[in-house]
Amino acid sequence: MIPSVPASVAFVAALASAASAHIAFWHPSMYGFNVTDKTFSYDNRPQVPLYNMNFDQWWFHGHLGYPPNEGDFFELQAGGSVTSVLSCDKGATPYYNSSQGGDVGYGSDSPCPGAPTSAYHTTGLDDVKGCALAIAYKADVNDVKPDDFAIFSINQTCVWNMYTKFDVPNLPACPEGGCHCAWFWIHSIDSGSEQIYMNGFKCKVVGDVGTQPLGKPAVPRRCGADPDNGLPDPRPGNCTIGAKLPMYWYQNEGNNMPEDTYHAPYYNDLYGFHDGAQHDVFQDGVIASLAGSGAGSAPTPSSTPAHASSSAAPAPAPSSSPAPAPAPSSPSSHNEPSASPSPSPSSTQVEPSTSTFTHPDPTTVASPAVSSTSVAPPTFSAEISSSVQVAPVVTSSAPAPTATKRCKPRPTGTTAPIKKRKHARHLSGLHHAH
């Protein structure tokens, strides 16, 4: 009977992990690195999804008051590649010593060790939709506005591996004090609720940096092949070419994407994002059909399975004697979110560095000092809110979120997709029930 106890404990732990599974970008340079489910009046951990939120709640995940320690930067090798750590639990990453629950599966390359793929919102490798890294050339986070970010790298097989590689174009050097970057993800509508993910962090460009500044980013447009909506061929003229903004979607305010519930925008060919470094980031973003004859070309769809094997680095071996985890900060020592109403996610169904990268040994990262000043949320420029244009397949404006945040009835369609979506939402409901 004794040998069965650890197995039972492991099974329960896996279920617990699945029950709280979402994904975050983890690095000491991030805002909110040491935020726990007790820091805010609601669960605002970095991996919690963002939907139907006010601007100051979803922008930088509401973590502007929880900056990284001085000197912590995520380094971007100009013209090379970097490896990100994407996981549903900090305790499954090399940083488990500073995790609220300690080691919960470190050593695996799965983003959610012990959990089904539904925990990271996919039904399989053919259902992942890609994620993005963006950069803003501003050292003061309070100066960063939504239209300052430009997407510079895409991994179309994200999220599938915890150690996910992003290729970096020949970016110019950051100003004194560094840049600000962010990780963005929107998962398949077949695999959970409508939501976005954003984690901001401090970054700097290193190595043989470029000299060409980035272009002015524009809103991405639905332009790739879209057979699910009766458009089997790409529409190159509808693409945004050049620098592109991140896609802000499904919030109470601050959206730049008007797509409805069942036409989620993705960081892949459907929205003009080819796999890898975005080398056109140095050009001003413009609609291809307005850029002159022959200016636009739709991205060539990438081979997803092929990229999967090359996008992940092997999991590092844990240290034999990791440092003890620090005690979580007392909730009373943190600032509460600003006066906007707090969402209640728990009450609804919501839901590598260069090729020679050495993953960090498990370390204890001290909690940075919490900012005591109130930061006014950045505002969008009028150009963003008025420049959104999408293909006819999607609605011209986003539907008003419902009070209960429940998913809306799917429009008419074939029986198979409806069953698939119902099954995915059932799985999502199981691992979000807690």
Side-chain angles (χ1 to χ4, degrees):
M1 294 299 292
I2 294 178
S4 65
V5 174
S8 300
V9 172
F11 177 72
V12 172
L15 290 180
S17 177
S20 59
H22 296 296
I23 297 294
F25 171 102
W26 296 101
H27 191 266
S29 62
M30 70 188 289
Y31 287 77
F33 184 68
N34 288 306
V35 166
T36 73
D37 60 357
K38 303 295 192 299
T39 305
F40 286 71
S41 60
Y42 59 99
D43 189 358
N44 195 32
R45 292 169 297 160
Q47 67 266 45
V48 172
L50 308 170
Y51 75 115
N52 291 1
M53 288 185 169
N54 295 334
F55 183 83
D56 60 344
Q57 294 172 318
W58 68 260
W59 179 245
F60 274 73
H61 214 292
H63 292 159
L64 290 178
Y66 303 84
N69 287 319
E70 187 70 25
D72 281 337
F73 290 93
F74 186 82
E75 294 188 345
L76 304 171
Q77 187 73 32
S81 62
V82 296
T83 296
S84 64
V85 176
L86 307 178
S87 179
C88 60
D89 197 316
K90 187 180 181 183
T93 75
Y95 313 110
Y96 67 77
N97 276 338
S98 61
S99 173
Q100 187 177 11
D103 185 357
V104 296
Y106 173 68
S108 169
D109 191 35
S110 168
C112 302
T117 60
S118 60
Y120 41 104
H121 298 289
T122 184
T123 60
L125 187 55
D126 61 348
D127 190 47
V128 296
K129 299 301 182 181
C131 62
L133 292 183
I135 189 168
Y137 277 77
K138 291 185 175 179
D140 187 342
V141 70
N142 299 311
D143 293 336
V144 181
K145 303 295 187 287
D147 51 354
D148 290 325
F149 276 122
I151 301 295
F152 68 86
S153 188
I154 296 290
N155 186 308
Q156 291 190 354
T157 57
C158 173
V159 174
W160 189 252
N161 302 102
M162 174 156 55
Y163 299 105
T164 301
K165 189 178 81 170
F166 288 92
D167 295 325
V168 182
N170 196 28
L171 296 173
C174 291
E176 184 177 358
C179 293
H180 277 88
C181 291
W183 174 76
F184 293 93
W185 176 46
I186 300 175
H187 60 70
S188 170
I189 61 171
D190 291 337
S191 306
S193 301
E194 301 73 29
Q195 50 201 210
I196 69 171
Y197 291 75
M198 176 188 186
N199 299 122
F201 53 99
K202 298 206 69 173
C203 57
K204 64 169 60 174
V205 183
V206 299
D208 188 11
V209 300
T211 58
Q212 186 175 0
L214 272 56
K216 179 179 176 59
V219 176
R221 293 164 59 85
R222 200 175 184 104
C223 65
D226 196 7
D228 289 344
N229 291 289
L231 298 169
D233 300 317
R235 293 144 289 146
N238 202 49
C239 286
T240 294
I241 56 174
K244 302 174 190 64
L245 290 160
M247 297 186 288
Y248 310 123
W249 180 65
Y250 228 83
Q251 307 305 314
N252 290 338
E253 55 187 0
N255 299 310
N256 66 355
M257 304 303 290
E259 278 75 346
D260 63 21
T261 301
Y262 292 100
H263 296 95
Y266 301 129
Y267 291 101
N268 59 19
D269 300 306
L270 184 60
Y271 279 79
F273 291 106
H274 59 269
D275 197 22
Q278 306 298 292
H279 294 293
D280 60 354
V281 73
F282 305 104
Q283 308 164 19
D284 288 347
V286 63
I287 301 172
S289 60
L290 303 181
S293 177
S297 60
T300 302
S302 304
S303 174
T304 299
H307 187 82
S309 61
S310 63
S311 64
S319 170
S320 59
S321 57
S329 300
S330 169
S332 62
S333 67
H334 296 285
N335 289 338
E336 287 295 323
S338 58
S340 53
S342 299
S344 301
S346 60
S347 65
T348 62
Q349 181 178 320
V350 294
E351 280 260 35
S353 73
T354 64
S355 57
T356 58
F357 175 84
T358 301
H359 297 295
D361 290 328
T363 56
T364 298
V365 180
S367 300
V370 178
S371 173
S372 61
T373 58
S374 176
V375 179
T379 57
F380 284 94
S381 66
E383 182 178 349
I384 291 183
S385 61
S386 63
S387 64
V388 177
Q389 298 182 42
V390 295
V393 66
V394 298
T395 59
S396 59
S397 61
T402 61
T404 60
K405 302 181 182 178
R406 293 184 182 276
C407 299
K408 302 168 184 60
R410 176 165 172 77
T412 57
T414 60
T415 302
I418 294 177
K419 289 183 177 179
K420 179 181 180 183
R421 197 158 274 118
K422 285 182 178 179
H423 176 65
R425 296 192 187 285
H426 170 68
L427 293 177
S428 179
L430 290 178
H431 73 75
H432 288 117
H434 71 293

